[in-house]
């Protein structure tokens, strides 16, 4: 399964998520940001590649829907509701990401 994590600048939240989950051999993982200043900017190629898109906040989903509407209408998007108040690999951020994403992935496995 291909997982794409998105935040604003792709420096702290989505990058942390990518680094946590990329060690699993069950997932192919990438991350990107919605802002012009993002380390890696989200684009059509990344969105088409992903099976599931995890966004940190509702505003990220809104931005994707506005800019890439035709692609996003066919994608599964999960809003994690993780605010931009954590540094890269912050212990609390790792806990939040691991808990919320793992819960979704476990549900997804049991539905297959």
């Amino acid at each position: 399964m291909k997982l794409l994590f998105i935040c604003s600048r792709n420096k702290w939240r989505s990058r942390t998520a990518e680094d946590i989950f990329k060690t699993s051999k069950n997932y192919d993982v990438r991350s990107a940001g919605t802002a012009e200043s993002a380390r890696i900017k989200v684009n059509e190629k990344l969105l088409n590649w992903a099976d599931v898109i995890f966004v940190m906040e509702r505003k990220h989903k809104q931005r994707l829907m506005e800019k890439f509407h035709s692609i996003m209408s066919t994608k599964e998007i999960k809003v994690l509701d993780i605010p931009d108040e954590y540094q890269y690999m912050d212990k609390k951020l790792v806990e939040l990401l691991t808990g919320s994403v793992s819960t979704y992935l476990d549900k997804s496995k049991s539905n297959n």
Side-chain angles (χ1 to χ4, degrees), residues 9 19 24 70 80:
R9 292 172 296 158
D19 287 348
S24 171
S70 60
L80 299 175

Side-chain angles (χ1 to χ4, degrees), residues 4 19 22 28 39 54-55 58 86:
L4 178 61
D19 287 348
K22 75 179 179 185
D28 193 0
R39 189 178 64 91
F54 292 95
V55 296
R58 294 193 189 290
Y86 303 99

Side-chain angles (χ1 to χ4, degrees), residues 7-11 32-42 60 63 67-68:
C7 67
S8 296
R9 292 172 296 158
N10 187 228
K11 292 184 180 176
T34 59
E36 288 297 318
S37 61
R39 189 178 64 91
I40 296 171
K41 278 184 62 175
V42 66
H60 300 126
R63 289 176 188 156
K67 190 169 182 180
F68 304 101

Side-chain angles (χ1 to χ4, degrees), residues 40-96:
I40 296 171
K41 278 184 62 175
V42 66
N43 57 49
E44 288 183 16
K45 185 177 178 181
L46 276 173
L47 295 171
N48 282 321
W49 167 87
D51 294 318
V52 182
I53 299 166
F54 292 95
V55 296
M56 299 299 149
E57 299 176 64
R58 294 193 189 290
K59 69 180 179 181
H60 300 126
K61 180 178 180 179
Q62 291 170 334
R63 289 176 188 156
L64 293 174
M65 295 299 285
E66 289 168 8
K67 190 169 182 180
F68 304 101
H69 182 72
S70 60
I71 297 170
M72 298 312 295
S73 62
T74 64
K75 292 293 179 176
E76 186 170 3
I77 308 166
K78 295 293 176 189
V79 179
L80 299 175
D81 287 320
I82 298 176
D84 190 9
E85 56 189 49
Y86 303 99
Q87 298 285 323
Y88 172 72
M89 295 304 280
D90 181 292
K91 183 180 176 185
K92 180 68 175 168
L93 176 58
V94 171
E95 290 173 8
L96 287 168

